[in-house]
Amino acid sequence: MKITPISGFPEFLPAQRIVEQHFLDVIRETFELHGFPSIETRAVEPLPRLMGKGGDADKEIYGVSRLDRDDAGDFRLDLGAFDDALGLHFDLTVPFARYVLENAGHLSFPFRRHQIQKVWRGERPQEGRYREFTQADIDVVDVGELAPHFEAEMPLVIAEVFRKLPVGRMVIQVNNRKIPEGFYLGIGIDDVGGTLRIVDKLDKIGPAKVKDQLVEAGRTAEQADQCLALAAIRSEDLSFVEQVRALGVEHPTLDEGLDALAAVIRAGLDHAPGAMVADLKIARGLDYYTGTVYETQLVGHESWGSFCSGGRYDSLASDGKTTYPGVGISIGVSRLLGLLIGKGLLVASRSTPACVLVAVNDEESRAVSTRVATELRARGIACEVAPKPAKFGKQIRYAERRGIPYVWFPAAAGAGDSGDSGSGGSGGSGGDQVKDIRSGDQVDADATTWEPPVQDLHPQVLRAEHTTDQS
């Protein structure tokens, strides 16, 4: 059978996987620094739950079925009755809501969690969008009411994550759904959701067409202009409050939204200067989010869109008696990495975790090389023993092809400085030696004490030189 790739299911090469693992390690460690314990939920949920409230049927959910045989012995797929059918989760929020309901009696509220898992969507694959991908989420959920300070905490955690990653400057765009809601009500628009859906098209079709659609939907030209004026407000400080007030609209819900967004932006100014911006055109999850909403862009690569988003939801889950409001934010790890790696903006310094290749003189002395490797590994130095007792020049080239910076010559091997010595060469001092194959420097070494420079101990993720995205 001919092997062909399946679109939308990315698989990284080893060096690319090192970049991905670095991102996942930084994300996990930062989440845990902020006190978010890890959970993992099952890959499948009942289809009715995935397609119900909190679900999203237009994500083209993958159904899951056993492979069976019919009466003629032919294979068939049968999902069975809809109420019993299962599907792969398309995000981590729907399974998290179910998890909270199932385990509420065992959880301490407010409950914080982080979750890093694969999700699946049957949408059309394209650059940066996949059918199987990894998301990294944090959420805080409480019983009945959720303190508003958690809405400020979410972007602070994300800002810290991206300060530690070699991605350049990122900006978290923040809005509060109560601002447009109160503003629209204040100018006499009752269909808040419909208006938001049209205004949300600004980046795609521009203000002129948005105004036309607003008027076609029954808003007056003056109302349309006011909606566009609100959506145009963007500031890195608290000046957005006065800019909104200057539009002359009053409504209690608008006041609540401005106060809430000001608290989030103030926290950003205090703890993550330059990371947040109040952007009043951000909508997100029109039937889902109820308070603060977030989107995130890389400066210079705005055309990529948002790779990290979320918001507050006042009804994450409910059992009919108790409601669990929450706030969360999600990093589209695969989406971000697919673009950064695909465009050559991030590379790994080597394709293996090994820092040292331990040379082998001959098969009879392989045990000597293995003992050296064991000593190095015991002290946290990743290493590999050469697969063959080839000439030392070939063993060095083996390391070079993988980016391994050091080759270790046990005393029994005795490489000397030639690099091309064959079996039975003699080391300069009669003891072990290690060679930095980049500089050619070779020195005496003891496996119980030798340390590589810190930057060589693990593969490094490097940001390649690139130009600003002009698209």
Side-chain angles (χ1 to χ4, degrees), residues 220-405:
T220 67
E222 182 181 359
Q223 287 174 328
D225 287 337
Q226 287 175 301
C227 291
L228 289 171
L230 179 71
I233 294 174
R234 176 186 171 102
S235 73
E236 295 184 359
D237 54 26
L238 298 176
S239 63
F240 71 91
V241 176
E242 291 306 315
Q243 293 180 57
V244 174
R245 296 295 187 200
L247 297 178
V249 178
E250 295 184 3
H251 194 277
T253 303
L254 174 61
D255 295 340
E256 291 178 24
L258 288 172
D259 289 344
L261 182 56
V264 174
I265 297 300
R266 188 176 295 111
L269 292 170
D270 290 342
H271 304 290
M276 293 184 215
V277 58
D279 191 331
L280 302 195
K281 73 175 181 297
I282 301 300
R284 292 210 55 75
L286 301 179
D287 299 320
Y288 192 59
Y289 295 113
T290 55
T292 305
V293 289
Y294 321 99
E295 289 191 353
T296 306
Q297 292 183 334
L298 279 179
V299 174
H301 299 285
E302 288 81 0
S303 65
W304 292 359
S306 179
F307 57 85
C308 176
S309 55
R312 176 173 178 138
Y313 31 81
D314 285 328
S315 298
L316 168 71
S318 176
D319 59 10
K321 296 180 180 179
T322 305
T323 299
Y324 300 88
V327 61
I329 194 164
S330 174
I331 303 173
V333 179
S334 297
R335 170 171 166 69
L336 178 60
L337 283 174
L339 290 164
L340 290 170
I341 293 174
K343 294 182 179 298
L345 302 182
L346 286 182
V347 296
S349 59
R350 57 185 188 255
S351 62
T352 172
C355 172
V356 177
L357 176 73
V358 183
V360 176
N361 186 45
D362 50 45
E363 285 304 327
E364 288 72 23
S365 65
R366 179 173 290 274
V368 174
S369 298
T370 301
R371 279 195 295 274
V372 170
T374 301
E375 288 282 1
L376 292 172
R377 292 169 186 151
R379 296 189 300 107
I381 301 172
C383 57
E384 177 183 349
V385 177
K388 296 179 180 179
K391 290 184 176 180
F392 292 132
K394 290 185 176 180
Q395 295 189 52
I396 290 171
R397 285 191 286 275
Y398 176 92
E400 284 177 331
R401 287 194 297 271
R402 288 154 180 79
I404 301 173

Side-chain angles (χ1 to χ4, degrees), residues 116-196:
I116 303 175
Q117 279 186 243
K118 296 282 190 182
V119 298
W120 296 267
R121 294 183 187 177
E123 55 190 3
R124 182 176 65 86
Q126 52 187 299
E127 186 180 50
R129 294 194 179 275
Y130 308 105
R131 292 188 280 181
E132 178 184 71
F133 52 97
T134 300
Q135 286 190 185
D137 288 21
I138 50 171
D139 287 82
V140 179
V141 61
D142 211 340
V143 179
E145 294 184 9
L146 181 73
H149 64 79
F150 290 117
E151 296 174 59
E153 182 180 359
M154 296 294 112
L156 292 178
V157 177
I158 296 303
E160 185 171 331
V161 167
F162 285 100
R163 278 201 305 270
K164 298 175 180 177
L165 292 172
V167 296
R169 185 176 174 229
M170 47 72 67
V171 172
I172 305 171
Q173 302 157 292
V174 191
N175 195 8
N176 190 291
R177 289 290 300 280
K178 292 181 179 180
I179 293 176
E181 178 183 349
F183 188 89
Y184 297 161
L185 293 172
I187 61 175
I189 296 176
D190 294 325
D191 183 8
V192 173
T195 304
L196 271 173

